[in-house]
């Protein structure tokens, strides 16, 4: 059954909610920020732990986030996933810092082309695929979805489809998929993508992007057959939003637990 999963997005070392499509190395001033939290990253780790919201991810959106990321991991050791700048050289460092799993994307695509040797290197570094999440965050192109790297600025040569998920499922424990075109806009989820992920996935998948109602949990459950989990960002009250209450997400998870 679909569950709510939490996030802790970090930008310049601060917990923020941004419009993902506005991240740009060439024009930093184009960044649109929906919310800047007054709380440290550890506050949200404790909140998720208190309410048993498992499988949450910490994402470093650019430089200057390592200290805040390690603070979040230390607050709930062995429970959170970490993404953003993960590679074969530093993956074990993040596991040692308290991450349950590492999330890897951009490093797998040198020059925008997928590298299986690099994925194998991460698996070896962290001691097995059970500690690896592959991020297939994507943008719509040519009637489909294509993996986007470098904080969603560069579209790669890898299409998000059944063949891709089948291939990668043997080399990771789950997928994280941000729909970059709707990320941070609170204008609704990409229903076509959610439904497709439900058809294609054979391992756990978490979708993020556009969720703006508590009813989106039910909708994702219906569209995916309960195979895809959902993350809320800017719409959530703990991140300054007014459309979705954190306590309602917790209640959904509690009910989902009873249904299993």
């Amino acid at each position: 059954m679909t569950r709510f999963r939490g996030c802790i997005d970090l930008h310049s070392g601060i917990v923020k909610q941004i419009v993902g499509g506005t991240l740009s190395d060439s024009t930093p001033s184009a960044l649109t920020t929906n919310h800047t939290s007054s709380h440290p990253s550890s506050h949200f780790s404790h909140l998720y732990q208190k309410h048993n919201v498992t499988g949450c991810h910490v994402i470093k959106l650019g430089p200057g986030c390592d200290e805040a990321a390690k603070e979040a991991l230390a607050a709930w050791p062995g429970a959170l996933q970490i993404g953003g700048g993960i590679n074969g050289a530093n993956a074990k460092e993040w596991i040692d810092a308290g991450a349950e799993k590492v999330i890897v994307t951009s490093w797998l695509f040198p020059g925008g082309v997928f590298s299986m040797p690099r994925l194998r290197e991460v698996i070896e570094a962290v001691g097995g695929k059970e500690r690896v999440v592959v991020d297939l965050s994507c943008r719509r192109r040519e009637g489909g979805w294509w993996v986007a790297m470098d904080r969603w600025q560069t579209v790669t040569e890898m299409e998000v489809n059944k063949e891709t998920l089948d291939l990668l499922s043997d080399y990771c424990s789950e997928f994280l998929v941000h729909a970059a075109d709707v990320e941070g806009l609170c204008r609704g989820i990409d229903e076509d993508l959610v439904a497709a992920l439900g058809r294609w996935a054979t391992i756990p998948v978490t979708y993020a992007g556009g969720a703006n109602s508590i009813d989106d949990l039910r909708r994702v459950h219906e569209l995916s057959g309960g195979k895809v989990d959902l993350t809320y960002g800017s719409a959530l009250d703990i991140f300054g939003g007014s459309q979705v209450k954190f306590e309602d997400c917790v209640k959904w998870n509690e009910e989902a637990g009873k249904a299993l």
Side-chain angles (χ1 to χ4, degrees):
M1 185 169 180
T2 294
R3 298 176 68 92
F4 160 67
R5 296 215 202 183
C7 66
I8 304 173
D9 292 348
L10 301 170
H11 184 260
S12 299
I14 300 170
V15 177
K16 294 182 182 180
Q17 284 295 314
I18 65 172
V19 177
T22 66
L23 276 167
S24 172
D25 290 334
S26 58
T27 54
S29 60
L31 179 69
T32 299
T33 301
N34 290 333
H35 177 69
T36 300
S37 178
S38 60
H39 297 293
S41 59
S42 56
H43 167 82
F44 299 96
S45 302
H46 291 308
L47 186 66
Y48 295 143
Q49 181 181 28
K50 178 181 178 181
H51 295 283
N52 194 34
V53 181
T54 57
C56 304
H57 52 268
V58 180
I59 303 295
K60 300 183 293 159
L61 297 168
C65 295
D66 283 2
E67 184 177 342
K70 290 178 180 178
E71 178 183 340
L73 298 178
W76 193 8
L80 303 173
Q81 304 171 5
I82 181 72
I86 303 299
N87 57 47
N90 65 22
K92 186 177 185 300
E93 171 190 336
W94 287 103
I95 295 295
D96 292 343
E100 178 194 18
K101 302 180 182 185
V102 294
I103 304 167
V104 60
T105 313
S106 299
W107 192 72
L108 299 180
F109 293 90
V113 179
F114 176 69
S115 169
M116 181 60 78
R118 287 196 171 194
L119 179 53
R120 292 180 186 272
E121 184 178 340
V122 172
I123 293 170
E124 183 177 355
V126 298
K129 71 172 188 176
E130 295 76 16
R131 289 190 173 275
V132 177
V133 179
V134 172
D135 186 331
L136 294 178
S137 296
C138 55
R139 289 186 177 276
R140 276 185 180 262
R141 294 287 189 277
E142 302 167 8
W145 301 273
W146 299 78
V147 176
M149 55 183 270
D150 292 335
R151 299 187 296 286
W152 313 315
Q153 298 171 82
T154 304
V155 177
T156 73
E157 51 79 51
M158 177 171 272
E159 186 174 3
V160 179
N161 55 27
K162 185 179 187 302
E163 290 72 25
T164 294
L165 267 66
D166 284 346
L167 169 69
L168 297 178
S169 293
D170 290 332
Y171 298 93
C172 63
S173 61
E174 57 185 280
F175 296 113
L176 174 62
V177 181
H178 289 83
D181 296 309
V182 299
E183 172 73 18
L185 297 178
C186 297
R187 295 177 185 167
I189 60 174
D190 185 332
E191 294 196 350
D192 295 337
L193 178 56
V194 170
L197 292 170
R199 292 194 305 270
W200 300 333
T202 58
I203 61 175
V205 181
T206 299
Y207 168 90
N212 62 2
S213 165
I214 191 64
D215 287 338
D216 283 328
L217 279 164
R218 176 188 54 79
R219 186 63 178 147
V220 169
H221 177 76
E222 293 173 348
L223 289 167
S224 72
K227 293 168 66 177
V228 175
D229 291 340
L230 178 65
T231 292
Y232 290 93
S234 298
L236 200 58
D237 58 355
I238 61 173
F239 297 125
S242 60
Q243 296 159 296
V244 182
K245 294 181 179 179
F246 176 72
E247 65 180 279
D248 290 339
C249 296
V250 172
K251 289 177 182 176
W252 170 276
N253 279 5
E254 291 172 349
E255 292 301 316
K258 294 175 184 177
L260 294 177

